[in-house]
Amino acid sequence: MIRIGVDVGGTNTDAVVMDGDKILAGVKSPTTEDVMGGVADSITKVLDQSGVPAGRVSAVMIGTTHFVNAVVERQHMVRTAAVRLCLPAAQCLPPMVDWPDDMREAVGGQYWMAKGGHEFDGREISPLDMTELDDIAAEIGAAGINTIAISSIFSPVSDTMERRAMERLKERLPDANFTLSSEIGRLGILERENAAIMNASLRALSRKTVEAFTTALQLVGLTCPYYITQNDGTLMNRDFVQAYPVLTFASGPTNSMRGASFLSGESDAIVVDIGGTTTDVGALVKGFPRQASTTVDVGGVRTNFRMPDVYSIALGGGTIVAAGGDAITVGPRSVGYRILQEALVFGGKTLTATDVVAGLGLADVGDAALVGVVDDDRLQKAKEKIDEMVSNAVERMRVSPDPIPILAVGGGSILMPDIMSGLKVIRPNHYSVANAVGAAIGQISGEVDRIFSLASISREAALAEARKEATGKAIAAGANPDSIELLDQEDVPLAYLPGDATRIRLKVVGSLNG
């Protein structure tokens, strides 16, 4: 099976062609403003380099920062009506209460609270009031809003009220599109509601992006299916990404970590991905990124959907090194994609992190003789500062004293020494395009995070029910049923709740169908 993996970053768009586990070719191209042009250009180049005709390609996997960039930049988000089913409870903290002002304005800032919601064990807080929902539909229609996010207290335990409310609103607003919080987030109502509102506001952009990807692939003669990588290193088909664009937010660093694991053969390690401007540091557990266990901040908004635990610092190959007296400053400014014009080793006039390692003879890049204008003592101090920054980030991500390796990937990984914090540093083959490799090897996943009451069923039965539900989600997303296996399972008794409650989090993965 021949696959193409593409990763669209802020500086470069990388692409690889793989035949099974063999990498046939890998290229880096500048990211273009319209993104689609860069994707088409990268695929054209990598097909030419590999000699593989477009007709032999079975699938294309794309990692993109398109949607998280839209949130960070407050662009391309549409007005969204937030409807919370909670009354008479949970009135003190209304929807979007802790959002940055510009973010709230980007989605319109309009919300409604209505009767409904459940306790943890499925008991109703109050029944739905259909007349109340009809009034809300009338107000949403009068406001000219056709994107709606519905959240309900403890909807991961029971989503019936969210679905019934959606059906009622849809009768009054047939052209509206809906996002249900129970399909995205976890238990916390505010974080889950935030994720649902952001997802709803990005639906229109998602449709346009998916259509643009389709056009880009057609331009280069590819008619095979394509998939988008999501936060946990697995794949979504085009219909799924249109429905849940927020699940792509952290796909960039995730692809790098998955690619690093594949290229090195290591499944438990610290991954350091150094690009032109930033360094992302994360941890691999069984070949997949370790997930964040607390809320994740996206564009100033707290969310709780699946995201890898990644720590980022302002350090890359293009990071500017400056001196003020005896002090050496590394970053946070970077020459970014202009490194070929501005770095000393390429004939420019700016001292960068790449110049430091080239000038000290630690990397063979550009013309190191051009760094001769900088004295060795200054270069050495800058290198010590760079090592200190990366070492601190690595130590922050370690959770045990085990001597696991550090995997260095990305074009800027020439900054890494061979040993750091007492750990061996591995720089695998094709390290500069590890992110595109990570996209190409993506698998399909299904996940469940729910509270079960063990008053009426056994623990084993609850786990079996959770696994069946997760497997169904994976198959629906395109996984081969015969290849599905359990990736992670956790059940935590909740002694502070009545009813012998336990929280079960479970994930399965499987190979792509076909």
Side-chain angles (χ1 to χ4, degrees):
M1 180 180 183
I2 292 184
R3 303 176 173 190
I4 293 178
V6 180
D7 188 272
V8 185
T11 304
N12 291 304
T13 297
D14 303 340
V16 297
V17 175
M18 296 183 65
D19 184 359
D21 290 343
K22 185 180 179 182
I23 299 171
L24 302 180
V27 301
K28 299 177 81 72
S29 298
T31 296
T32 55
E33 189 170 350
D34 67 351
V35 178
M36 299 307 105
V39 171
D41 187 47
S42 291
I43 292 177
T44 300
K45 286 181 180 176
V46 80
L47 284 175
D48 288 345
Q49 191 179 99
S50 67
V52 173
R56 287 191 59 203
V57 178
S58 300
V60 177
M61 290 73 173
I62 302 173
T64 178
T65 57
H66 216 59
F67 303 114
V68 71
N69 288 348
V71 172
V72 172
E73 298 170 5
R74 278 57 164 154
Q75 294 183 344
H76 311 297
M77 303 177 79
V78 301
R79 294 172 64 210
T80 299
V83 178
R84 181 193 293 175
L85 307 175
C86 61
L87 299 179
Q91 302 179 59
C92 56
L93 295 175
M96 298 175 275
V97 64
D98 59 348
W99 286 32
D101 292 342
D102 57 349
M103 182 72 169
R104 193 183 303 112
E105 291 171 8
V107 300
Q110 290 182 273
Y111 65 84
W112 288 260
M113 291 193 279
K115 297 183 182 69
H118 289 88
E119 302 287 358
F120 88 97
D121 57 0
R123 286 178 293 133
E124 291 184 357
I125 293 176
S126 63
L128 288 177
D129 183 336
M130 295 304 176
T131 302
E132 183 182 40
L133 290 175
D134 290 345
D135 292 341
I136 290 174
E139 292 179 19
I140 292 174
I145 301 173
N146 65 356
T147 299
I148 301 170
I150 302 176
S151 59
S152 175
I153 297 178
F154 274 116
S155 62
V157 174
S158 174
D159 62 359
T160 53
M161 285 202 181
E162 287 189 357
R163 295 193 177 282
R164 286 173 55 204
M166 178 181 70
E167 291 168 3
R168 187 69 174 195
L169 294 175
K170 210 166 191 174
E171 291 175 6
R172 304 295 186 270
L173 301 166
D175 295 329
N177 72 79
F178 294 84
T179 293
L180 304 183
S181 74
S182 56
E183 296 176 342
I184 297 177
R186 293 176 173 170
L187 288 175
I189 176 68
L190 289 179
E191 294 81 6
R192 175 163 40 85
E193 183 177 66
N194 291 342
I197 296 170
M198 282 199 288
N199 189 78
S201 71
L202 291 170
R203 280 270 181 88
L205 176 64
S206 182
R207 282 194 296 274
K208 291 179 182 176
T209 303
V210 167
E211 291 170 3
F213 279 140
T214 303
T215 303
L217 298 186
Q218 289 173 344
L219 283 174
V220 297
L222 290 170
T223 57
C224 59
Y226 69 88
Y227 302 86
I228 309 296
T229 59
Q230 59 177 323
N231 300 333
D232 63 358
T234 56
L235 301 172
M236 298 184 286
N237 61 31
R238 54 178 294 169
D239 294 334
F240 203 76
V241 74
Q242 282 183 327
Y244 308 110
V246 294
L247 298 183
T248 69
F249 278 179
S251 63
T254 299
N255 287 341
S256 295
M257 286 193 272
R258 290 274 294 145
S261 175
F262 176 84
L263 293 171
S264 66
E266 300 286 346
S267 58
D268 293 284
I270 298 292
V271 178
V272 178
D273 178 12
I274 306 180
T277 304
T278 59
T279 295
D280 296 323
V281 183
L284 277 172
V285 179
K286 296 181 180 179
F288 283 83
R290 184 177 68 208
Q291 299 293 296
S293 57
T294 58
T295 59
V296 178
D297 185 296
V298 179
V301 175
R302 292 184 302 155
T303 66
N304 64 353
F305 45 71
R306 292 169 291 168
M307 294 278 274
D309 189 9
V310 174
Y311 181 63
S312 300
I313 58 175
L315 174 66
T319 293
I320 297 173
V321 178
D326 292 334
I328 295 290
T329 304
V330 179
R333 293 189 302 126
S334 169
V335 298
Y337 65 89
R338 291 188 54 77
I339 190 171
L340 295 179
Q341 290 78 40
E342 298 197 23
L344 294 181
V345 289
F346 298 118
K349 297 181 179 178
T350 305
L351 178 62
T352 67
T354 296
D355 297 319
V356 171
V357 293
L360 291 172
L362 302 175
D364 183 14
V365 54
D367 184 355
L370 296 174
V371 192
V373 296
V374 183
D375 64 74
D376 286 350
D377 182 59
R378 186 177 169 191
L379 293 177
Q380 193 59 49
K381 287 182 177 177
K383 183 63 171 64
E384 291 172 0
K385 181 68 175 177
I386 291 170
D387 289 350
E388 180 186 356
M389 293 171 67
V390 180
S391 178
N392 288 341
V394 168
E395 288 298 331
R396 183 183 175 116
M397 299 307 294
R398 288 180 71 177
V399 293
S400 79
D402 296 339
I404 58 176
I406 296 174
L407 308 179
V409 296
S413 61
I414 56 175
L415 304 182
M416 290 286 289
D418 294 332
I419 300 289
M420 174 163 282
S421 300
L423 302 177
K424 181 182 179 182
V425 175
I426 299 173
R427 197 174 290 106
N429 291 333
H430 303 288
Y431 65 87
S432 65
V433 290
N435 44 11
V437 173
I441 63 172
Q443 290 181 296
I444 303 294
S445 72
E447 184 176 12
V448 166
D449 179 4
R450 282 179 49 195
I451 293 176
F452 290 79
S453 173
L454 301 185
S456 57
I457 60 174
S458 66
R459 173 180 176 275
E460 289 71 23
L463 288 172
E465 183 179 331
R467 181 163 182 169
K468 181 180 179 182
E469 184 178 333
T471 300
K473 289 183 177 180
I475 293 173
N480 181 343
D482 297 331
S483 68
I484 290 177
E485 59 182 337
L486 181 66
L487 176 68
D488 190 27
Q489 174 179 299
E490 174 185 278
D491 66 296
V492 181
L494 303 177
Y496 57 88
L497 293 176
D500 199 9
T502 189
R503 179 179 182 177
I504 295 178
R505 296 172 63 175
L506 182 149
K507 180 187 286 186
V508 301
V509 296
S511 302
L512 183 64
N513 233 336

